[in-house]
C-alpha cells in the first residue's frame, strides 16, 4: 500500500512555493511548447497561438471555478465571499474545457483562424497538461478515492485503503498524449484528432470516476449515483461520437472525390 502524504508547499528560505501551483505552471509551459511546435509544423502564426493561449487560460480558470461553485452551491450560497478564493482549490475539469472552448472560439473567430485546425493543434497540449496538472493533484492528495484492496491503494489516515484517483487521471492524460502525438501526422481530416481526444477522455473519465469516494461527507457531489463529471462525460461522448462519424464520412467522400479527379 502507498502511504498517505501531502506535499502542499516547498519552502526555499523565505520563499514558499505551492506545489499544485508549480505543477499547474509546468503543465501550462509544457503544453505551450507542444502547441508552438505543432504550430510551426503546420505553418500557423505562432504569435496568434500565444494570444489564443491567454484566452484559453482565462476561459479555463473561469469555467472550472464557475462549474465547481454551481455544483457546490449549497455551501457557497451562505459563503459568497469564498467564491473568488481560487487558491483554496475547487475546480471542475469539464468546466475548464467548456470555458476554454468558448473563449478560444471567440479569439479564433476574431483572428480568422480555422477552429478545427486549432482544436487539433491544442488536443495533444491539453493531454500533456492533464498529465502534469494531475501530478500536482497527487502531491496535495486532494482527490479521495473509493475503498479498494489493490496493492497500489493509498493508506489514508483514517485506516482505510483507497484508490489513487489523481494518479489514474494523470496516467490517462499521458496515454492520450502519446497516442495523439504518434498519429497526428497521419490524420488529415481537420478536427478528427480533437474529437478522438474527447472520445477517449470522456469514455475513460466516466469509468475512472467510479474510483472516487462516495462514503465520506467531503466526497464529490453525486446525482442519481453518478458524479457531475460522469453525467457530462456521457453527453460529451455522445456528441463527440456523432462528430466522429460525420468527419469519417466526410473524409471518405473527400478521398473518393480526390481519386476520381
Amino acid at each position: 500500500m502507498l502511504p498517505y502524504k501531502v506535499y502542499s508547499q516547498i519552502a526555499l528560505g523565505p520563499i514558499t512555493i505551492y506545489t499544485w501551483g508549480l505543477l499547474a505552471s509546468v503543465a501550462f509551459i509544457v503544453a505551450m511548447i507542444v502547441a508552438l511546435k505543432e504550430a510551426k509544423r503546420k505553418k500557423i502564426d505562432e504569435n496568434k497561438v500565444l494570444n489564443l493561449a491567454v484566452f484559453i487560460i482565462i476561459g479555463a480558470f473561469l469555467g472550472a471555478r464557475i462549474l465547481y461553485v454551481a455544483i457546490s452551491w449549497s455551501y457557497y450560497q451562505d459563503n459568497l465571499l469564498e467564491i473568488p478564493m481560487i487558491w483554496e482549490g475547487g475546480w471542475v475539469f469539464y468546466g475548464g474545457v467548456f470555458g476554454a472552448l468558448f473563449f478560444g472560439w471567440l479569439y479564433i473567430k476574431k483572428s480568422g483562424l480555422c477552429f478545427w485546425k486549432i482544436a487539433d493543434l491544442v488536443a495533444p497540449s491539453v493531454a500533456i497538461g492533464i498529465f502534469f496538472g494531475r501530478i500536482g493533484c497527487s502531491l496535495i492528495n486532494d482527490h479521495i478515492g473509493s475503498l479498494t484492496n489493490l496493492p497500489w491503494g493509498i493508506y489514508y489516515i483514517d485506516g482505510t485503503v483507497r484508490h489513487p484517483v489523481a494518479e489514474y487521471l494523470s496516467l490517462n492524460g499521458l496515454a492520450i498524449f502519446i497516442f495523439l502525438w504518434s498519429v497526428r501526422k497521419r490524420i488529415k481530416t481537420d478536427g478528427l484528432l480533437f474529437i478522438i481526444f474527447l472520445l477517449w477522455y470522456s469514455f475513460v473519465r466516466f469509468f475512472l470516476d467510479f474510483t472516487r469516494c462516495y462514503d465520506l461527507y467531503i466526497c464529490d457531489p453525486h446525482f442519481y449515483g453518478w458524479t457531475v463529471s460522469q453525467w457530462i462525460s456521457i453527453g460529451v461522448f455522445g456528441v463527440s461520437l456523432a462528430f466522429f462519424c460525420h468527419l469519417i464520412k466526410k473524409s471518405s467522400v473527400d478521398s473518393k472525390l480526390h481519386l476520381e479527379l
Side-chain angles (χ1 to χ4, degrees):
M1 302 298 173
L2 301 175
Y4 175 81
K5 297 286 185 180
V6 175
Y7 303 98
S8 59
Q9 300 176 3
I10 300 173
L12 299 176
I15 301 174
T16 299
I17 299 175
Y18 292 90
T19 51
W20 187 88
L22 174 63
L23 266 296
S25 300
V26 170
F28 173 72
I29 292 170
V30 174
M32 279 305 308
I33 292 172
V34 171
L36 290 173
K37 182 179 177 65
E38 276 296 272
K40 185 176 182 180
R41 183 180 71 85
K42 294 186 173 186
K43 296 180 173 56
I44 297 174
D45 190 336
E46 295 175 43
N47 289 324
K48 288 186 177 181
V49 173
L50 288 171
N51 292 335
L52 173 65
V54 175
F55 279 77
I56 288 177
I57 289 298
I58 294 173
F61 274 98
L62 286 175
R65 184 60 174 176
I66 289 171
L67 185 53
Y68 180 81
V69 170
I71 66 176
S72 306
W73 184 245
S74 59
Y75 172 79
Y76 284 105
Q77 64 181 345
D78 298 320
N79 300 276
L80 296 177
L81 294 179
E82 294 186 26
I83 292 177
M85 298 181 181
I86 58 176
W87 55 88
E88 293 188 357
W91 312 88
V92 177
F93 175 80
Y94 275 122
V97 170
F98 298 146
L101 281 172
F102 178 69
F103 275 70
W105 174 78
L106 290 177
Y107 177 78
I108 289 169
K109 184 179 180 181
K110 178 182 177 182
S111 61
L113 295 170
C114 172
F115 176 83
W116 290 115
K117 285 183 182 292
I118 297 300
D120 285 344
L121 183 150
V122 169
S125 296
V126 176
I128 197 64
I130 291 172
F131 170 64
F132 285 103
R134 292 301 185 178
I135 291 176
C137 294
S138 173
L139 290 174
I140 64 174
N141 243 313
D142 67 338
H143 294 306
I144 302 177
S146 58
L147 299 172
T148 183
N149 293 318
L150 293 172
W152 56 79
I154 296 177
Y155 193 82
Y156 274 82
I157 54 178
D158 63 355
T160 59
V161 179
R162 298 179 178 273
H163 282 287
V165 178
E167 286 80 352
Y168 294 159
L169 294 168
S170 179
L171 291 174
N172 182 48
L174 179 61
I176 297 174
F177 170 75
I178 292 172
F179 177 78
L180 295 181
W181 195 252
S182 65
V183 303
R184 74 193 193 286
K185 294 180 181 179
R186 286 179 278 169
I187 294 179
K188 306 301 181 183
T189 303
D190 291 338
L192 191 55
L193 196 70
F194 178 65
I195 293 301
I196 290 173
F197 164 76
L198 291 179
L199 283 171
W200 182 326
Y201 185 85
S202 60
F203 181 82
V204 175
R205 179 61 190 268
F206 175 82
F207 290 101
L208 282 183
D209 264 32
F210 285 115
T211 67
R212 288 176 177 261
C213 76
Y214 52 83
D215 58 324
L216 302 173
Y217 76 93
I218 56 174
C219 295
D220 293 334
H222 283 68
F223 301 92
Y224 301 101
W226 289 350
T227 65
V228 171
S229 292
Q230 284 179 305
W231 287 107
I232 295 176
S233 289
I234 292 176
V236 170
F237 185 83
V239 172
S240 300
L241 186 60
F243 270 103
F244 180 81
C245 294
H246 169 73
L247 291 174
I248 290 295
K249 183 178 180 180
K250 180 178 181 295
S251 177
S252 300
V253 171
D254 290 344
S255 298
K256 183 178 179 181
L257 288 174
H258 179 74
L259 289 173
E260 290 177 351
L261 292 173

